[in-house]
């Protein structure tokens, strides 16, 4: 598993990985169904039907449904997300000290990351609160990678000179992340099929709302 390929696309990695075709079909079926119906809402029979494999074949490659979920989640949490965090941090560092441009970049960049990895993102978001192993992996990743993002974000916020006094970088990031996640879930779980032009307008509204909430008064 090369980091470069994994960072580009988990599905591309599965397609090119050295493993039996049947196993690939099971993985892709699990990815699709877990993201659409949730882990608990997906049966092994449904995975078998979606993949075109028998349940016996599924259990040949994965002893349990949990093992299949772990196979999907672990490389994402340990390889893809950390690489994206580093890339995001590097891009942040090159941004100009302008509040409007900075918030626009963060909103668009993080939303696009969720869209590019929507199946896994939906699985993680749905299982994060119920599965301790996934929660532990997520906390571990955020503990090791999060502080560098916060430090970079704080420096940029300070450089703009536009942020309302009393707001911490954590509070601002919490506001930004919550808005992006809610909108992502809305588009892919509640009201799917939103047009690209409408999404762009919606993101602009989110950006304006965040900027108005954190920008210090001009008078």
């Amino acid at each position: 598993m090369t980091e470069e390929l994994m960072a580009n696309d988990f599905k591309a990695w599965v397609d090119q990985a050295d493993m039996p075709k049947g196993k690939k079909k099971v993985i892709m079926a699990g990815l699709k169904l877990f993201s659409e119906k949730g882990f608990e809402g997906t049966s092994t029979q449904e995975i078998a039907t979606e993949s075109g494999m028998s349940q016996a074949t599924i259990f040949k490659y994965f002893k349990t449904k949990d093992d299949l979920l772990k196979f999907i989640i672990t490389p994402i949490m340990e390889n893809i997300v950390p690489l994206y965090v580093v890339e995001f941090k590097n891009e942040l560092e090159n941004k100009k000290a302008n509040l409007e441009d900075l918030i626009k970049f963060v909103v668009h960049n993080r939303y696009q990351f969720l869209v590019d990895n929507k199946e896994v993102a939906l699985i993680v978001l749905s299982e994060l609160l119920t599965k301790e192993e996934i929660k532990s992996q997520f906390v571990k990743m955020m503990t090791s990678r999060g502080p560098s993002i916060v430090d970079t974000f704080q420096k940029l916020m300070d450089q703009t000179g536009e942020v309302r006094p009393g707001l911490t970088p954590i509070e601002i990031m919490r506001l930004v992340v919550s808005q992006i996640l809610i909108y992502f879930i809305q588009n892919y779980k509640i009201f799917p099929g939103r047009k690209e032009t409408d999404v762009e307008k919606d993101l602009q509204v989110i950006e304006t709302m965040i900027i108005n909430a954190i920008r210090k008064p001009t008078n």
Side-chain angles (χ1 to χ4, degrees), residues 117-193:
N117 300 275
K118 58 182 177 293
E119 291 91 351
V120 174
L122 289 169
I123 294 171
V124 171
L125 290 172
S126 66
E127 305 301 327
L128 191 60
L129 298 178
T130 59
K131 290 198 172 294
E132 283 299 320
E133 185 172 359
I134 293 177
K135 179 181 177 181
S136 177
Q137 286 179 311
F138 184 79
V139 170
K140 181 180 178 181
M141 184 272 297
M142 289 304 297
T143 300
S144 63
R145 303 285 181 169
S148 64
I149 292 291
V150 173
D151 289 343
T152 300
F153 194 68
Q154 181 171 11
K155 291 176 183 177
L156 290 167
M157 288 288 103
D158 292 342
Q159 289 172 15
T160 68
E162 299 178 65
V163 178
R164 182 159 53 86
L167 285 178
T168 66
I170 292 293
E171 291 169 336
I172 297 173
M173 291 182 73
R174 188 183 299 130
L175 172 63
V176 174
V177 170
S178 64
Q179 291 299 316
I180 296 171
L181 287 178
I182 290 170
Y183 184 63
F184 171 73
I185 293 171
Q186 172 189 312
N187 280 355
Y188 286 93
K189 296 297 286 186
I190 304 174
F191 304 114

Side-chain angles (χ1 to χ4, degrees), residues 43-213:
S43 68
T44 52
Q45 180 56 57
E46 288 173 316
I47 296 172
T49 300
E50 178 69 29
S51 65
M53 301 289 107
S54 67
Q55 291 195 64
T57 299
I58 293 175
F59 292 126
K60 171 185 175 183
Y61 297 126
F62 304 99
K63 293 182 180 180
T64 65
K65 193 172 66 167
D66 282 277
D67 286 342
L68 174 57
L69 178 66
K70 182 178 179 181
F71 185 93
I72 294 171
I73 292 293
T74 298
I76 300 296
M77 299 292 278
E78 294 183 354
N79 297 83
I80 290 183
V81 174
L83 285 171
Y84 269 109
V85 168
V86 172
E87 180 183 316
F88 178 57
K89 177 178 177 293
N90 292 338
E91 291 184 26
L92 262 183
E93 290 176 336
N94 293 322
K95 289 299 164 185
K96 296 179 180 179
N98 175 288
L99 184 62
E100 186 173 332
D101 290 345
L102 182 59
I103 294 301
K104 180 177 181 178
F105 165 73
V106 172
V107 170
H108 275 74
N109 183 280
R110 293 301 82 189
Y111 181 76
Q112 192 59 50
F113 169 77
L114 291 173
V115 172
D116 290 343
N117 300 275
K118 58 182 177 293
E119 291 91 351
V120 174
L122 289 169
I123 294 171
V124 171
L125 290 172
S126 66
E127 305 301 327
L128 191 60
L129 298 178
T130 59
K131 290 198 172 294
E132 283 299 320
E133 185 172 359
I134 293 177
K135 179 181 177 181
S136 177
Q137 286 179 311
F138 184 79
V139 170
K140 181 180 178 181
M141 184 272 297
M142 289 304 297
T143 300
S144 63
R145 303 285 181 169
S148 64
I149 292 291
V150 173
D151 289 343
T152 300
F153 194 68
Q154 181 171 11
K155 291 176 183 177
L156 290 167
M157 288 288 103
D158 292 342
Q159 289 172 15
T160 68
E162 299 178 65
V163 178
R164 182 159 53 86
L167 285 178
T168 66
I170 292 293
E171 291 169 336
I172 297 173
M173 291 182 73
R174 188 183 299 130
L175 172 63
V176 174
V177 170
S178 64
Q179 291 299 316
I180 296 171
L181 287 178
I182 290 170
Y183 184 63
F184 171 73
I185 293 171
Q186 172 189 312
N187 280 355
Y188 286 93
K189 296 297 286 186
I190 304 174
F191 304 114
R194 196 113 171 100
K195 294 180 180 178
E196 188 173 328
T197 53
D198 292 329
V199 170
E200 180 60 31
K201 291 178 182 177
D202 292 340
L203 292 178
Q204 290 175 5
V205 170
I206 291 173
E207 293 159 13
T208 299
M209 182 188 68
I210 293 171
I211 291 168
N212 289 340

Side-chain angles (χ1 to χ4, degrees), residues 8-54:
N8 287 335
D9 193 331
F10 174 74
K11 290 185 285 187
W13 170 74
V14 172
D15 183 59
Q16 298 180 35
D18 183 17
M19 64 176 74
K21 290 183 179 180
K23 185 175 183 177
K24 293 180 181 181
K25 291 181 178 180
V26 171
I27 294 167
M28 297 308 294
L31 183 69
K32 179 177 183 293
L33 293 173
F34 291 160
S35 67
E36 293 176 351
K37 306 181 66 174
F39 176 78
E40 296 298 338
T42 300
S43 68
T44 52
Q45 180 56 57
E46 288 173 316
I47 296 172
T49 300
E50 178 69 29
S51 65
M53 301 289 107
S54 67

